[in-house]
PDB file of all heavy atoms in Angstrom:
ATOM      1  N   LEU A  62      -2.376  24.521   1.518  1.00  0.00           N
ATOM      2  CA  LEU A  62      -3.778  24.876   1.736  1.00  0.00           C
ATOM      3  C   LEU A  62      -3.828  25.984   2.770  1.00  0.00           C
ATOM      4  O   LEU A  62      -3.485  25.776   3.926  1.00  0.00           O
ATOM      5  CB  LEU A  62      -4.585  23.673   2.227  1.00  0.00           C
ATOM      6  CG  LEU A  62      -6.035  23.978   2.618  1.00  0.00           C
ATOM      7  CD1 LEU A  62      -6.853  24.402   1.416  1.00  0.00           C
ATOM      8  CD2 LEU A  62      -6.673  22.769   3.301  1.00  0.00           C
ATOM      9  N   VAL A  63      -4.241  27.154   2.337  1.00  0.00           N
ATOM     10  CA  VAL A  63      -4.466  28.257   3.263  1.00  0.00           C
ATOM     11  C   VAL A  63      -5.954  28.297   3.551  1.00  0.00           C
ATOM     12  O   VAL A  63      -6.759  28.410   2.614  1.00  0.00           O
ATOM     13  CB  VAL A  63      -3.999  29.601   2.667  1.00  0.00           C
ATOM     14  CG1 VAL A  63      -4.333  30.749   3.607  1.00  0.00           C
ATOM     15  CG2 VAL A  63      -2.506  29.555   2.357  1.00  0.00           C
ATOM     16  N   PRO A  64      -6.355  28.150   4.807  1.00  0.00           N
ATOM     17  CA  PRO A  64      -7.782  28.138   5.137  1.00  0.00           C
ATOM     18  C   PRO A  64      -8.502  29.338   4.532  1.00  0.00           C
ATOM     19  O   PRO A  64      -8.061  30.476   4.667  1.00  0.00           O
ATOM     20  CB  PRO A  64      -7.786  28.184   6.670  1.00  0.00           C
ATOM     21  CG  PRO A  64      -6.498  27.547   7.052  1.00  0.00           C
ATOM     22  CD  PRO A  64      -5.517  27.957   5.988  1.00  0.00           C
ATOM     23  N   GLY A  65      -9.597  29.048   3.843  1.00  0.00           N
ATOM     24  CA  GLY A  65     -10.364  30.113   3.220  1.00  0.00           C
ATOM     25  C   GLY A  65      -9.809  30.560   1.881  1.00  0.00           C
ATOM     26  O   GLY A  65     -10.424  31.392   1.205  1.00  0.00           O
ATOM     27  N   LYS A  66      -8.654  30.011   1.469  1.00  0.00           N
ATOM     28  CA  LYS A  66      -8.038  30.463   0.210  1.00  0.00           C
ATOM     29  C   LYS A  66      -7.848  29.343  -0.807  1.00  0.00           C
ATOM     30  O   LYS A  66      -7.578  29.618  -1.956  1.00  0.00           O
ATOM     31  CB  LYS A  66      -6.681  31.113   0.489  1.00  0.00           C
ATOM     32  CG  LYS A  66      -6.760  32.533   0.980  1.00  0.00           C
ATOM     33  CD  LYS A  66      -5.408  33.207   0.818  1.00  0.00           C
ATOM     34  CE  LYS A  66      -5.532  34.719   0.952  1.00  0.00           C
ATOM     35  NZ  LYS A  66      -4.267  35.399   0.685  1.00  0.00           N
ATOM     36  N   GLY A  67      -7.915  28.095  -0.417  1.00  0.00           N
ATOM     37  CA  GLY A  67      -7.795  27.035  -1.394  1.00  0.00           C
ATOM     38  C   GLY A  67      -6.392  26.465  -1.526  1.00  0.00           C
ATOM     39  O   GLY A  67      -5.474  26.793  -0.776  1.00  0.00           O
ATOM     40  N   LEU A  68      -6.254  25.589  -2.516  1.00  0.00           N
ATOM     41  CA  LEU A  68      -5.011  24.862  -2.722  1.00  0.00           C
ATOM     42  C   LEU A  68      -4.072  25.631  -3.645  1.00  0.00           C
ATOM     43  O   LEU A  68      -4.515  26.271  -4.602  1.00  0.00           O
ATOM     44  CB  LEU A  68      -5.305  23.487  -3.346  1.00  0.00           C
ATOM     45  CG  LEU A  68      -6.153  22.519  -2.521  1.00  0.00           C
ATOM     46  CD1 LEU A  68      -6.532  21.306  -3.372  1.00  0.00           C
ATOM     47  CD2 LEU A  68      -5.415  22.076  -1.278  1.00  0.00           C
ATOM     48  N   GLU A  69      -2.776  25.540  -3.355  1.00  0.00           N
ATOM     49  CA  GLU A  69      -1.749  26.128  -4.231  1.00  0.00           C
ATOM     50  C   GLU A  69      -0.637  25.105  -4.420  1.00  0.00           C
ATOM     51  O   GLU A  69      -0.180  24.496  -3.441  1.00  0.00           O
ATOM     52  CB  GLU A  69      -1.127  27.368  -3.587  1.00  0.00           C
ATOM     53  CG  GLU A  69      -1.934  28.604  -3.610  1.00  0.00           C
ATOM     54  CD  GLU A  69      -1.140  29.748  -3.005  1.00  0.00           C
ATOM     55  OE1 GLU A  69      -1.096  29.822  -1.757  1.00  0.00           O
ATOM     56  OE2 GLU A  69      -0.563  30.550  -3.749  1.00  0.00           O
TER      57      GLU A  69
END
Side-chain angles (χ1 to χ4, degrees):
Chain A
L62 174 66
V63 176
K66 280 197 165 185
L68 298 171
E69 284 183 280

